[in-house]
Amino acid sequence: MYATEFLDLPPLGHAAGTVTLPGSKSISNRVLLLAALCQGTTTIHDLLDSDDTRVMLVALRQLGCGIRQDGAQVQVDGLNGQLSAKVAKLFLGNAGTAMRPLTAALAVMGGDFELSGIPRMHERPIGDLVDALRQLGCHIDYLGQDGYPPLRIGKSSLQLDTPIQVRGDVSSQFLTALLMALPLVARKDIVIDVVGELISRPYIEITLNLLARFGVHIQRDGWQRFTIPAGCKLQSPGDIHVEVDASSASYFIALGAIATRASGQNSIRILGVGADSIQGDIRFMEAAQMMGASIESGPNWLQVSRGVWPLKAIDLDCNHIPDAAMTLAVMALYADGTTTLRNIASWRVKETDRIAAMATELSKLGATVVEGADFIQITPPAGVHDWKAGTIHTYDDHRIAMCFSLAAFNPAGIPVRIKDPKCVAKTFPDYFEALFSVCQSPEASIPVICVDGPTASGKGTLAAVLAQKLGYHFLDSGSLYRITALAALRAGLTVDAASEAAIAQLVAGLHIRFMDGRVLLDGDDVSDTIRTEEAGMNASTVSALPQVRTALIDLQHSFRQLPGLVADGRDMGTVIFPDAPLKVFLTASAERRAERRYKQLIFKGISITLPSLRADLEARDARDSFRTVAPLKPAEDAQLLDNSDLTVEESVNLVLDWWQSKQPF
């Protein structure tokens, strides 16, 4: 997951490949709560790992629920409707799928509970659910503004003789919460009457489907009356599998509809969900097809490719796909006219006011947007030159971050900056990694920052921090010969000219990662192994082999991957990446570099004198500067940075300022 302040997406043009999506948030949290409330132990397979499910798991443990987790498999010991903890303070973040159902369940069981969340959760209405629960005799107080969390729940005095009325036109989660909680107290038939139009009906279908899996079959009279039958009881189904998230599928369905490959053909295969999904957001397929996507479907997969282009503008009632409809708003940027999405009033009470947020961010990109109380209308930029580079504010809303990533396919070939990319952790922590795994970009469009300089200048530290700040890949080119020599020895090769061709061939298949200050070779941490004196001698030997040097150039080029690369070495800007948009030549006085290296060696217990170390560095500078192959020198367009009197943070901030000055944002 990218935890950077922002993530710059370079221009994207092509996409092909297979993605496996995470489990559904809506199903995951419903199943967790039902498993906690029911009788028996439930094994949940493929549970979503996200912010929302984590806060639900923490809350259930606080309430006394036995939970054993092994990756995506979770065993939950049901409480059989009897809480072992009657007092608790539950923090539920911004998880509406935890706040609303837990409010209902705890209110009907009674106790002494406080439910709170982040500031945005305290702006999300819950008054209609509280009103419905108070009709039953539940005791609930507002601890802040009336109608909104945080809440205090006390002991209940239930009255179940008359139908319960709940509004259906604000959030379907209110009805879902009641449907999941009331089987706990259904000593007689309990009737729920929905006041007004029930929005997001497919989410109620998910709830009814899951309740049936747990042994409770709700009687439904249209979408206005629901009856929980007397004597019903939540029973564990034993094992239950969580479908992948159909809402998350929308981004990759849209990707397939938008992107092309160089040949003009493309295909995105989505595993884990098909047209027969129980989730209403799977009907996003129909909307995407209306806009021109070509989609094939099997029992557990979708295959999506570009069909009609440009996409067709649509006018659509989106009540049935409220979350996925956000993706249509970004697809509208690629349509042939004005797209109108209607009946989306629920957007205004989600993680943020999504209608206002989408209107603001789409406008930044050059679209003309009209927003209403329950609709949004998008007209794309008139032409290629009307597209604008935008910094997308994500409002701590995962779906805004994910759907606006698709704007990087714009025909103007301009990048898109996504602020706070880690907000996708709510439902899809590895979203951007999944996106980059199937996207392609012209090599020249993938940004590279080169940091060259002499020994002990601090270029490795500077480059690593830059990569971390930007979310870019990192290349420590200076360690590649050491890694190559180690890989050759592990493969049974001799490190000499006799094995030159074999070592060069071996290089092409090396899997190397630089991560968190460690060096991984085929997944094995070799950070310490390659720093020995013997490793250094072997590196010197292989560095003299021409075929190996050539192979390592190709290997270094392979590190240029989305979303970008920071490479440090001695010839990154002059030889390996001469087209890099930013080249930094980092240096410091020999005296200061000797002092830095001296401190490092003394810390490691290596005895050496400062004068000898300085003399060695000066001699090495001379050798590196006058060698015939890739001599150490600044690239002609490099920014010179003497960090003799600068801290690492000051150097990093200076380079980041240089980088920002080259961006269109």
Side-chain angles (χ1 to χ4, degrees):
M1 182 179 71
Y2 288 87
T4 51
E5 179 183 346
F6 58 83
L7 180 63
D8 289 342
L9 307 181
L12 302 174
H14 317 310
T18 300
V19 292
T20 301
L21 302 176
S24 162
K25 175 190 70 171
S26 299
I27 294 177
S28 291
N29 266 355
R30 283 169 170 81
V31 167
L32 279 173
L33 183 56
L34 290 172
L37 298 177
C38 76
Q39 181 180 48
T41 296
T42 306
T43 301
I44 306 170
H45 302 271
D46 304 320
L47 185 78
L48 171 67
D49 179 21
S50 73
D51 289 347
D52 279 24
T53 53
R54 290 183 198 124
V55 298
M56 178 66 94
L57 284 165
V58 169
L60 295 179
R61 287 189 173 103
Q62 285 182 255
L63 295 170
C65 197
I67 296 174
R68 295 168 297 284
Q69 190 164 6
D70 182 12
Q73 180 174 297
V74 179
Q75 273 194 335
V76 181
D77 296 328
L79 298 169
N80 195 22
Q82 301 296 319
L83 294 173
S84 57
K86 291 287 189 177
V87 179
K89 291 184 177 182
L90 307 180
F91 177 79
L92 302 173
N94 198 15
T97 56
M99 175 65 78
R100 276 79 179 260
L102 276 170
T103 294
L106 297 177
V108 300
M109 288 188 284
D112 184 3
F113 305 106
E114 286 187 19
L115 278 64
S116 64
I118 66 169
R120 174 57 188 171
M121 176 58 80
H122 298 169
E123 298 172 351
R124 299 178 67 178
I126 200 170
D128 293 304
L129 175 60
V130 171
D131 289 346
L133 290 167
R134 284 174 171 174
Q135 294 173 44
L136 294 173
C138 296
H139 185 86
I140 305 175
D141 294 320
Y142 296 111
L143 298 179
Q145 182 181 356
D146 281 2
Y148 301 87
L151 306 174
R152 178 183 290 278
I153 296 172
K155 294 182 179 179
S156 61
S157 179
L158 298 180
Q159 303 291 328
L160 303 172
D161 298 322
T162 58
I164 305 158
Q165 293 192 332
V166 61
R167 282 182 60 185
D169 57 353
V170 176
S171 173
S172 64
Q173 288 180 3
F174 300 159
L175 176 58
T176 278
L178 293 170
L179 291 171
M180 293 172 67
L182 291 176
L184 299 173
V185 291
R187 293 179 292 276
K188 57 179 69 176
D189 284 358
I190 303 175
V191 176
I192 304 172
D193 285 336
V194 177
V195 178
E197 180 187 8
L198 178 61
I199 63 172
S200 307
R201 293 174 183 175
Y203 285 101
I204 300 302
E205 290 188 293
I206 293 175
T207 303
L208 298 178
N209 183 295
L210 293 175
L211 280 165
R213 293 288 306 275
F214 281 83
V216 174
H217 298 271
I218 305 294
Q219 300 166 20
R220 177 169 69 84
D221 183 5
W223 294 102
Q224 298 305 124
R225 172 164 285 203
F226 297 81
T227 303
I228 295 93
C232 65
K233 190 174 182 63
L234 292 169
Q235 298 278 356
S236 171
D239 288 78
I240 190 165
H241 290 259
V242 176
E243 277 191 7
V244 303
D245 187 21
S247 301
S248 295
S250 71
Y251 313 115
F252 293 94
I253 293 172
L255 174 63
I258 292 169
T260 63
R261 285 194 314 203
S263 64
Q265 301 295 318
N266 77 301
S267 179
I268 295 292
R269 189 173 181 86
I270 303 166
L271 300 181
V273 67
D276 59 352
S277 168
I278 68 170
Q279 299 170 73
D281 273 346
I282 197 62
R283 292 184 61 191
F284 178 86
M285 288 172 48
E286 300 167 9
Q289 287 171 318
M290 290 172 60
M291 295 190 79
S294 176
I295 304 177
E296 299 176 46
S297 174
N300 210 33
W301 56 267
L302 301 171
Q303 192 96 6
V304 190
S305 57
R306 183 192 272 202
V308 176
W309 192 260
L311 296 176
K312 299 177 183 177
I314 59 173
D315 188 321
L316 185 67
D317 183 325
C318 297
N319 180 55
H320 60 301
I321 51 169
D323 286 339
M326 295 174 69
T327 312
L328 296 176
V330 178
M331 289 178 70
L333 293 171
Y334 303 98
D336 58 1
T338 298
T339 291
T340 304
L341 307 178
R342 303 184 186 278
N343 207 357
I344 54 171
S346 64
W347 281 20
R348 294 204 182 272
V349 295
K350 295 287 188 175
E351 283 78 349
T352 188
D353 181 338
R354 286 176 169 170
I355 293 180
M358 294 298 288
T360 298
E361 305 309 313
L362 288 165
S363 297
K364 289 179 181 177
L365 301 175
T368 301
V369 185
V370 177
E371 64 167 291
D374 66 348
F375 75 89
I376 191 169
Q377 197 170 67
I378 306 107
T379 304
V384 172
H385 300 295
D386 296 298
W387 280 81
K388 301 174 184 176
T391 296
I392 303 301
H393 182 57
T394 51
Y395 308 87
D396 195 27
D397 189 330
H398 54 133
R399 299 208 183 279
I400 290 178
M402 291 187 279
C403 67
F404 271 99
S405 67
L406 301 171
F409 287 89
N410 65 80
I414 53 180
V416 175
R417 174 169 289 180
I418 305 292
K419 297 198 73 174
D420 188 28
K422 68 180 179 296
C423 68
V424 301
K426 185 174 177 68
T427 51
F428 199 160
D430 296 327
Y431 170 74
F432 289 106
E433 288 86 346
L435 177 70
F436 295 144
S437 75
V438 293
C439 286
Q440 304 162 29
S441 188
E443 187 175 277
S445 296
I446 301 176
V448 178
I449 299 176
C450 296
V451 182
D452 291 318
T455 298
S457 59
K459 58 185 181 294
T461 300
L462 174 63
V465 176
L466 286 171
Q468 186 271 328
K469 292 277 189 182
L470 295 168
Y472 285 0
H473 298 279
F474 172 54
L475 168 60
D476 174 9
S477 67
S479 65
L480 290 181
Y481 286 109
R482 291 172 177 263
I483 297 170
T484 299
L486 175 62
L489 291 172
R490 288 183 169 183
L493 301 174
T494 57
V495 183
D496 54 28
S499 299
E500 179 177 1
I503 296 174
Q505 185 176 7
L506 177 70
V507 166
L510 293 180
H511 297 285
I512 301 169
R513 291 182 66 198
F514 303 98
M515 185 174 64
D516 299 327
R518 312 301 291 173
V519 181
L520 303 181
L521 172 61
D522 295 328
D524 182 23
D525 188 340
V526 298
S527 308
D528 297 329
T529 308
I530 64 171
R531 297 304 175 193
T532 64
E533 185 177 350
E534 179 186 1
M537 294 174 61
N538 289 333
S540 297
T541 302
V542 297
S543 68
L545 305 176
Q547 291 182 49
V548 175
R549 294 187 68 89
T550 300
L552 281 172
I553 290 175
D554 292 337
L555 178 64
Q556 290 172 94
H557 286 161
S558 73
F559 278 83
R560 191 173 194 170
Q561 299 174 15
L562 292 169
L565 172 68
V566 180
D568 94 80
R570 292 186 177 85
D571 58 359
M572 294 295 98
T574 54
V575 176
I576 307 301
F577 300 108
D579 63 338
L582 177 61
K583 302 164 189 171
V584 177
F585 192 83
L586 185 68
T587 189
S589 66
E591 178 183 8
R592 184 54 58 88
R593 288 187 288 130
E595 290 172 355
R596 293 170 180 170
R597 180 56 59 88
Y598 178 77
K599 291 178 181 178
Q600 291 174 348
L601 295 177
I602 293 299
F603 180 77
K604 294 179 180 180
I606 300 173
S607 178
I608 193 169
T609 66
L610 189 59
S612 64
L613 188 56
R614 177 173 176 174
D616 180 63
L617 286 174
E618 290 174 336
R620 184 166 181 174
D621 289 348
R623 290 196 305 271
D624 288 344
S625 298
F626 292 102
R627 64 188 181 188
T628 55
V629 178
L632 175 65
K633 64 179 182 180
E636 291 184 3
D637 55 347
Q639 294 273 13
L640 303 181
L641 175 56
D642 186 328
N643 70 351
S644 299
D645 300 313
L646 298 177
T647 65
V648 173
E649 183 180 8
E650 289 170 337
S651 298
V652 168
N653 289 337
L654 183 58
V655 177
L656 287 174
D657 286 344
W658 289 341
W659 183 240
Q660 179 59 32
S661 70
K662 294 179 175 292
Q663 307 311 310
F665 307 112

